[in-house]
Amino acid sequence: MKDHVDRILEEWRRERPDLDPSPQGVIGRLHRLATALTDELVTVYARFGLSEAEFDLLASLRRAGEPYELPAGELAAHTMVTTGGLTKRVDRLVERGLVERQEAGADRRRRIVRLTPEGRTLIDAAVTAHLENEHRLVDLIDAADAEAIAAASRRWLAAL
């Protein structure tokens, strides 16, 4: 069964036989897969009124364990955003009553971000739905393929 990427590879082989387009068979499909998976994931986040970034931030705080808080700099590292980008996200979540921001002791420049009880309730429900959705998506392929993809992508990420 040929897909869109196969067609692209054939076209490049025809138009530029001097080049080897075979990496597009892997990277092109992974890129398309990532886009399709993101579309499936954000649909669930939206049911809870969350963007992908907001879900990630709340989930990072929830995974931190009791008292469900992290210093802002550490939270930025967990969510792979700049502290400036984090500030905007935290501001929106503070406005919604899902997190609160506090000074970290004597150093007024350091801030702690903490889940509120409402934030914990929301992220617990959202994570439950998210994991059900991820199980549904992974169940579309055979278990051996899922394990092979996990192992290969782990090695590839480590190499990058």
Side-chain angles (χ1 to χ4, degrees):
M1 171 177 83
K2 289 191 176 193
D3 65 6
H4 182 73
V5 176
D6 287 319
R7 199 167 45 256
I8 291 170
L9 294 172
E10 289 171 1
E11 290 167 355
W12 278 124
R13 286 183 181 115
R14 180 190 71 231
E15 295 301 316
R16 290 292 308 270
D18 58 312
L19 297 177
D20 174 14
S22 62
Q24 290 184 337
V26 176
I27 293 172
R29 284 188 182 92
L30 285 175
H31 183 73
R32 288 172 176 274
L33 181 59
T35 299
L37 289 173
T38 297
D39 291 346
E40 295 285 336
L41 298 177
V42 298
T43 299
V44 172
Y45 307 150
R47 289 194 339 231
F48 295 89
L50 298 171
S51 68
E52 185 175 26
E54 291 166 336
F55 175 89
D56 189 29
L57 190 151
L58 294 175
S60 294
L61 290 170
R62 181 63 174 92
R63 288 191 317 270
E66 193 74 56
Y68 311 113
E69 67 182 25
L70 289 169
E74 192 175 326
L75 185 56
H78 278 271
T79 58
M80 297 186 298
V81 297
T82 64
T83 53
L86 179 72
T87 298
K88 292 176 186 174
R89 290 177 185 152
V90 170
D91 286 346
R92 286 193 303 264
L93 294 172
V94 166
E95 287 175 15
R96 293 177 57 193
L98 301 175
V99 301
E100 56 190 16
R101 193 185 280 118
Q102 297 179 335
E103 292 176 0
D107 185 353
R108 293 176 181 249
R109 293 170 298 167
R110 277 191 73 222
R111 300 282 185 172
I112 299 290
V113 180
R114 176 182 292 142
L115 270 179
T116 63
E118 295 81 7
R120 181 176 174 198
T121 298
L122 180 70
I123 195 59
D124 280 349
V127 165
T128 299
H130 170 68
L131 289 174
E132 288 170 357
N133 189 39
E134 285 191 333
H135 278 284
R136 177 187 67 81
L137 293 167
V138 172
D139 286 348
L140 294 173
I141 60 174
D142 138 321
D145 285 344
E147 288 177 27
I149 290 168
S153 59
R154 182 183 301 110
R155 289 189 303 273
W156 199 357
L157 283 168
L160 288 172

